Amino acid sequence: MNSKTILTLTVALGITLSSSTVSAGFTLVNEAGDVGAGLLLYNGNTVCDDGFSDDSAIAICREMGYPGFHSWRYGNLFGIQASLDIGLDDVVCSSGSWDSCSSTTSHNCAHSEDVHLNCVP
C-alpha cells in the first residue's frame, strides 16, 4: 500500500507536528515538517527500539512507500512523546520486507527508547 497523506497535528503545548506518508498504520511526525523523517508512530502510538534494526527501518520505510532509509535513532526528542502510548515493541525483521517482521503490542519500554526514522524520500 503506497498511500500518501499529509496531516498536521497540533498538541496542547502549542507545538505543531507535521505528519507525512500514512500507510499500513505507520506515520512519521516531526516539528520541522520534513517529509519522510521523524518520530515513528504505529496507529498513533510510539514504536520501541527493542529488536529494531536496519532491516526494520528498511521494511517500515518501504511499507510507507519510500525506497529505503537514511538513518534511525532512538530517544525522547519531542515533548509530545510523553503523552502518547507505546504501541509496538520487539520489531524484528529478517529482511527489508514487512512480511519478514514480527512484533508485539505489549512492551517493556520507556519513551527514551522511541524510534525516530529518516526514510529516503
Side-chain angles (χ1 to χ4, degrees), residues 5-121:
T5 303
I6 305 296
L7 70 107
T8 302
L9 172 67
T10 303
V11 296
L13 300 174
I15 298 171
T16 299
L17 298 176
S18 296
S19 170
S20 61
T21 313
V22 179
S23 176
F26 291 107
T27 310
L28 294 170
V29 296
N30 65 72
E31 294 171 324
D34 297 330
V35 174
L39 174 65
L40 179 61
L41 301 180
Y42 179 74
N43 292 332
N45 300 311
T46 66
V47 177
C48 183
D49 74 335
D50 293 351
F52 206 87
S53 67
D54 288 355
D55 282 336
S56 306
I58 293 167
I60 291 170
C61 285
R62 286 180 178 166
E63 195 66 20
M64 291 190 294
Y66 295 103
F69 83 105
H70 283 297
S71 61
W72 70 272
R73 63 182 173 159
Y74 60 90
N76 194 354
L77 305 179
F78 300 123
I80 180 97
Q81 290 174 242
S83 67
L84 300 172
D85 290 329
I86 299 170
L88 203 60
D89 191 14
D90 299 320
V91 180
V92 177
C93 302
S94 60
S95 75
S97 170
W98 183 244
D99 293 339
S100 77
C101 302
S102 63
S103 61
T104 181
T105 55
S106 59
H107 72 87
N108 59 348
C109 303
H111 286 296
S112 60
E113 299 174 83
D114 289 346
V115 172
H116 299 261
L117 184 57
N118 185 2
C119 297
V120 174

